[in-house]
Coordinates of all heavy atoms in Angstrom, one line a residue:
A21 N -15.2 16.8 188.8 CA -13.9 16.8 189.5 C -14.1 17.0 191.0 O -13.5 16.4 191.8 CB -13.1 18.0 188.9
E22 N -15.0 17.9 191.4 CA -15.4 18.2 192.8 C -15.8 16.9 193.5 O -15.3 16.5 194.5 CB -16.4 19.3 193.0 CG -16.6 19.7 194.3 CD -17.5 20.9 194.4 OE1 -17.3 21.9 193.7 OE2 -18.5 20.7 195.1
K23 N -16.7 16.2 192.9 CA -17.2 14.9 193.5 C -16.1 13.8 193.6 O -16.2 13.0 194.5 CB -18.4 14.3 192.5 CG -19.7 14.9 192.9 CD -20.7 14.1 192.0 CE -22.1 14.3 192.7 NZ -23.1 13.4 192.0
L24 N -15.2 13.8 192.6 CA -14.2 12.8 192.6 C -12.9 13.3 193.4 O -12.0 12.5 193.5 CB -13.8 12.5 191.2 CG -14.8 11.8 190.3 CD1 -14.5 12.0 188.9 CD2 -15.0 10.4 190.7
H25 N -13.0 14.5 193.9 CA -11.8 15.1 194.6 C -10.6 15.0 193.7 O -9.5 14.6 194.1 CB -11.5 14.3 195.9 CG -12.7 14.3 196.8 ND1 -13.1 15.3 197.5 CD2 -13.6 13.3 197.1 CE1 -14.2 15.0 198.2 NE2 -14.5 13.8 198.0
L26 N -10.8 15.5 192.5 CA -9.7 15.6 191.5 C -9.7 17.0 190.9 O -10.8 17.7 191.1 CB -9.9 14.5 190.3 CG -9.8 13.1 190.6 CD1 -10.3 12.2 189.4 CD2 -8.4 12.7 191.0
S27 N -8.7 17.3 190.1 CA -8.8 18.5 189.4 C -9.5 18.4 188.1 O -9.7 17.3 187.6 CB -7.3 19.0 189.1 OG -6.8 18.2 188.2
Q28 N -10.1 19.5 187.6 CA -10.8 19.5 186.4 C -9.9 19.0 185.2 O -10.4 18.1 184.4 CB -11.4 20.8 186.0 CG -12.3 20.9 184.8 CD -11.5 21.2 183.6 OE1 -10.6 21.9 183.6 NE2 -11.9 20.5 182.4
P29 N -8.7 19.3 185.1 CA -7.7 18.8 184.1 C -7.6 17.3 184.2 O -7.4 16.7 183.2 CB -6.4 19.6 184.2 CG -6.9 20.9 184.9 CD -8.0 20.5 185.8
A30 N -7.6 16.8 185.4 CA -7.4 15.3 185.6 C -8.7 14.6 185.0 O -8.5 13.6 184.3 CB -7.3 15.0 187.0
V31 N -9.8 15.1 185.2 CA -11.1 14.5 184.7 C -11.0 14.6 183.2 O -11.3 13.6 182.4 CB -12.3 15.2 185.2 CG1 -13.5 14.7 184.5 CG2 -12.4 14.9 186.7
S32 N -10.6 15.8 182.6 CA -10.4 15.9 181.2 C -9.4 15.0 180.5 O -9.8 14.4 179.5 CB -10.0 17.4 180.9 OG -10.9 18.3 181.2
K33 N -8.4 14.7 181.3 CA -7.4 13.7 180.8 C -7.9 12.4 180.8 O -7.7 11.5 179.9 CB -6.1 13.9 181.5 CG -5.3 15.0 181.2 CD -3.9 15.0 181.8 CE -3.1 16.2 181.3 NZ -1.7 16.1 181.5
H34 N -8.7 12.0 181.8 CA -9.3 10.6 181.8 C -10.3 10.4 180.6 O -10.2 9.4 180.0 CB -10.1 10.5 183.2 CG -9.3 10.4 184.4 ND1 -9.7 10.4 185.6 CD2 -7.9 10.1 184.5 CE1 -8.8 10.2 186.6 NE2 -7.6 10.0 185.9
I35 N -11.1 11.5 180.4 CA -12.0 11.4 179.2 C -11.3 11.3 177.9 O -11.6 10.5 177.0 CB -13.0 12.5 179.2 CG1 -13.8 12.6 180.6 CG2 -13.9 12.5 178.0 CD1 -14.5 11.3 180.9
Q36 N -10.2 12.2 177.8 CA -9.4 12.1 176.5 C -8.7 10.8 176.4 O -8.7 10.3 175.3 CB -8.4 13.2 176.6 CG -8.9 14.7 176.4 CD -7.8 15.6 176.6 OE1 -6.7 15.4 177.1 NE2 -8.1 16.9 176.2
S37 N -8.3 10.2 177.4 CA -7.7 8.8 177.4 C -8.7 7.8 176.9 O -8.3 6.9 176.0 CB -7.0 8.5 178.8 OG -6.5 7.2 178.8
L38 N -9.8 7.8 177.4 CA -10.9 6.9 177.0 C -11.2 7.1 175.5 O -11.4 6.1 174.8 CB -12.1 7.0 177.9 CG -11.9 6.5 179.4 CD1 -13.2 6.8 180.2 CD2 -11.8 5.0 179.3
E39 N -11.3 8.3 175.2 CA -11.6 8.6 173.7 C -10.5 8.1 172.9 O -10.9 7.5 171.8 CB -11.9 10.2 173.6 CG -13.2 10.6 174.2 CD -13.4 12.1 174.2 OE1 -12.4 12.9 174.1 OE2 -14.5 12.5 174.1

Side-chain angles (χ1 to χ4, degrees):
E22 190 175 303
K23 277 186 155 188
L24 294 164
H25 304 286
L26 296 172
S27 67
Q28 184 271 324
V31 173
S32 294
K33 284 189 178 195
H34 288 168
I35 301 305
Q36 288 173 347
S37 175
L38 289 170
E39 290 176 332

